[in-house]
Amino acid sequence: QKEVEQDPGPLSVPEGAIVSLNCTYSNSAFQYFMWYRQYSRKGPELLMYTYSSGNKEDGRFTAQVDKSSKYISLFIRDSQPSDSATYLCAMKEGSQGNLIFGKGTKLSVKP
Amino acid sequence: NAGVTQTPKFRILKIGQSMTLQCTQDMNHNYMYWYRQDPGMGLKLIYYSVGAGITDKGEVPNGYNVSRSTTEDFPLRLELAAPSQTSVYFCASKGLAGGPSNEQFFGPGTRLTVL
């Protein structure tokens, strides 16, 4: 079993839809959870981070962590064509540890 | 600030050739990383450095070498290129600040094809 599992998609939705992106993990020591967004032919950029369990909201984006289920989610409300990108989950044990990335989910939002 | 810069943007190598991928950051970050990204496979850590003169292996170090003589530069060396090294290579850096927002900043990537 890989440490971090993420469905690569692709996922295609109409503009305005609510998008749900998910990752599961096996290492219960992970405490820091990130979502990176990567536009085509660009480097990844940090979108959101969460420490331990709970929810975090930033505009149209909400990150959720359920440590009991080893499951993290990213929700995008009112999705826009500009949200079309690959979304990578990443996680680590300690604040200075190395990140373990999921495979990334390719999202396309159609106008 | 230019952030993290990588050169070249693209390169085609023949099997057995060698090359160095350059990475420079101007944020005075201590930590630097090299990743490779294959289609649909996420990012795999090749090597990382916690400061000048200190490097360590990541998940997939075979076929690569690194050095860190300055804070700013972290070159990645391929000695005998193989088709399996065809990939997009990303360099990243981060500072010493602790806490969950201790993010890595990524460069634009180098697309390498080995034929």
Side-chain angles (χ1 to χ4, degrees):
Chain A
Q1 182 186 12
K2 295 191 184 298
E3 275 199 292
V4 179
E5 301 272 10
Q6 183 177 10
D7 185 341
L11 181 62
S12 183
V13 302
E15 184 176 354
I18 296 174
V19 176
S20 173
L21 304 169
N22 312 292
C23 289
T24 59
Y25 62 95
S26 57
N27 185 349
S28 57
F30 286 143
Q31 295 186 78
Y32 298 88
F33 304 91
M34 284 87 166
W35 287 95
Y36 279 80
R37 180 173 60 194
Q38 184 178 21
Y39 291 114
S40 181
R41 296 184 174 265
K42 301 288 187 184
E45 295 175 305
L46 182 66
L47 183 62
M48 294 194 72
Y49 70 88
T50 311
Y51 171 68
S52 194
S53 284
N55 294 1
K56 186 169 185 178
E57 189 173 320
D58 184 2
R60 296 184 296 110
F61 298 89
T62 300
Q64 285 186 353
V65 174
D66 182 351
K67 291 192 72 180
S68 61
S69 302
K70 298 191 183 70
Y71 189 88
I72 70 170
S73 301
L74 178 70
F75 297 96
I76 307 174
R77 291 183 300 280
D78 187 25
S79 56
Q80 301 296 308
S82 58
D83 295 327
S84 297
T86 296
Y87 291 80
L88 298 131
C89 64
M91 46 200 80
K92 58 182 180 176
E93 294 184 20
S95 62
Q96 299 302 328
N98 292 332
L99 286 172
I100 308 298
F101 284 86
K103 291 183 178 181
T105 300
K106 187 171 185 178
L107 172 67
S108 178
V109 181
K110 305 294 186 185
Chain B
N1 281 355
V4 180
T5 56
Q6 293 183 238
T7 57
K9 286 187 171 56
F10 306 93
R11 184 73 185 267
I12 298 175
L13 281 183
K14 294 182 179 177
I15 294 172
Q17 287 186 321
S18 61
M19 76 165 293
T20 299
L21 283 68
Q22 301 291 345
C23 175
T24 300
Q25 54 91 9
D26 62 359
M27 297 174 281
N28 200 32
H29 283 170
N30 288 80
Y31 291 76
M32 295 188 75
Y33 306 83
W34 274 107
Y35 294 91
R36 60 176 288 172
Q37 186 177 38
D38 300 317
M41 295 302 294
L43 290 159
K44 301 291 186 185
L45 182 64
I46 305 172
Y47 270 96
Y48 67 100
S49 169
V50 301
I54 307 169
T55 62
D56 207 348
K57 296 177 181 179
E59 184 182 355
V60 289
N62 290 346
Y64 307 94
N65 278 302
V66 293
S67 59
R68 184 94 182 271
S69 56
T70 67
T71 300
E72 294 78 20
D73 301 305
F74 190 39
L76 178 71
R77 178 83 177 161
L78 282 72
E79 290 294 349
L80 291 170
S84 61
Q85 293 178 305
T86 294
S87 189
V88 182
Y89 291 84
F90 288 101
C91 179
S93 72
K94 75 172 186 181
L96 270 178
S101 62
N102 185 218
E103 70 174 287
Q104 293 185 20
F105 293 86
F106 284 81
T110 294
R111 290 183 173 271
L112 176 66
T113 301
V114 182
L115 299 173

